[in-house]
Amino acid sequence: DPVWTTPASSASWETIENHVASGTESTYTFDIDEATDDNSMLVLVYDLAVSASLAFQIKVNDVTNYNSDGSLINAGSQTIINSSGDTEIEIASTTILSAEDMTACGTIQIFAPDAGTTRPLVISQATGQNTSALEVVSSLVVGSATSITKIEVKSSTSTWKANSKFTLYRVKR
């Protein structure tokens, strides 16, 4: 076999759920049966189109307190993101999803609390297929959790359209 067919590590990707919106939606919840611990992480890959301007957001385990840092780069200008006490994590802002038919795609990495901690960490990146804007955010889930059992994707104000896609993977390390 060629060298590239041999895995470089023991990590493996398992599809937990693949969701394709059959109509407009403003929220979707992934319930995770097998607890995610510090030996694995979750990766959510998304591709969505919106019905109107909105911010694409997530919640982890129904927690309503997040601290986030990151940056938004748009048309050669960078805006620093620094917020605390947020009730959701903003993944793609209204800069990317500014009007009907605007799109966003990207990945969200969700790390279970590492040994000795009780706070999951979320790292996300988003861009639009109608814009070259790039949004990268690191968010700390404020609150105690030993595993991740629920991920909710949601809209701030409007809906995403039918055929928007969300695939949640578990990556075992």
Side-chain angles (χ1 to χ4, degrees):
D1 289 333
V3 173
W4 56 266
T5 62
T6 305
S9 71
S10 62
S12 64
W13 288 61
E14 167 194 356
T15 302
I16 294 176
E17 186 176 346
N18 185 39
H19 173 68
V20 179
S22 59
T24 58
E25 297 176 342
S26 60
T27 186
Y28 185 79
T29 301
F30 294 93
D31 290 311
I32 303 158
D33 293 334
E34 182 184 330
T36 302
D37 59 23
D38 64 355
N39 289 319
S40 62
M41 72 171 175
L42 301 174
V43 176
L44 179 61
V45 178
Y46 64 91
D47 180 359
L48 60 100
V50 299
S51 303
S53 177
L54 63 85
F56 175 57
Q57 305 167 327
I58 71 163
K59 291 177 93 168
V60 177
N61 291 355
D62 289 324
V63 171
T64 57
N65 189 2
Y66 303 93
N67 298 337
S68 298
D69 286 294
S71 65
L72 169 65
I73 302 170
N74 187 32
S77 296
Q78 181 176 19
T79 302
I80 300 300
I81 298 166
N82 177 269
S83 62
S84 61
D86 297 328
T87 56
E88 302 87 14
I89 299 170
E90 187 170 281
I91 303 298
S93 68
T94 56
T95 299
I96 293 174
L97 297 169
S98 60
E100 182 177 6
D101 293 327
M102 296 300 279
T103 61
C105 60
T107 59
I108 305 166
Q109 295 169 284
I110 305 143
F111 294 88
D114 204 356
T117 69
T118 58
R119 292 181 170 184
L121 177 67
V122 176
I123 301 171
S124 65
Q125 58 91 14
T127 190
Q129 292 140 325
N130 309 76
T131 176
S132 61
L134 174 65
E135 198 159 358
V136 179
V137 177
S138 173
S139 300
L140 181 65
V141 179
V142 180
S144 183
T146 56
S147 66
I148 299 168
T149 57
K150 183 177 180 179
I151 304 293
E152 179 186 8
V153 292
K154 59 188 308 252
S155 158
S156 61
T157 56
S158 182
T159 59
W160 52 80
K161 293 186 169 192
N163 297 316
S164 293
K165 298 171 185 68
F166 307 87
T167 303
L168 184 63
Y169 300 96
R170 180 189 331 272
V171 181
K172 295 184 179 181
R173 303 185 280 172

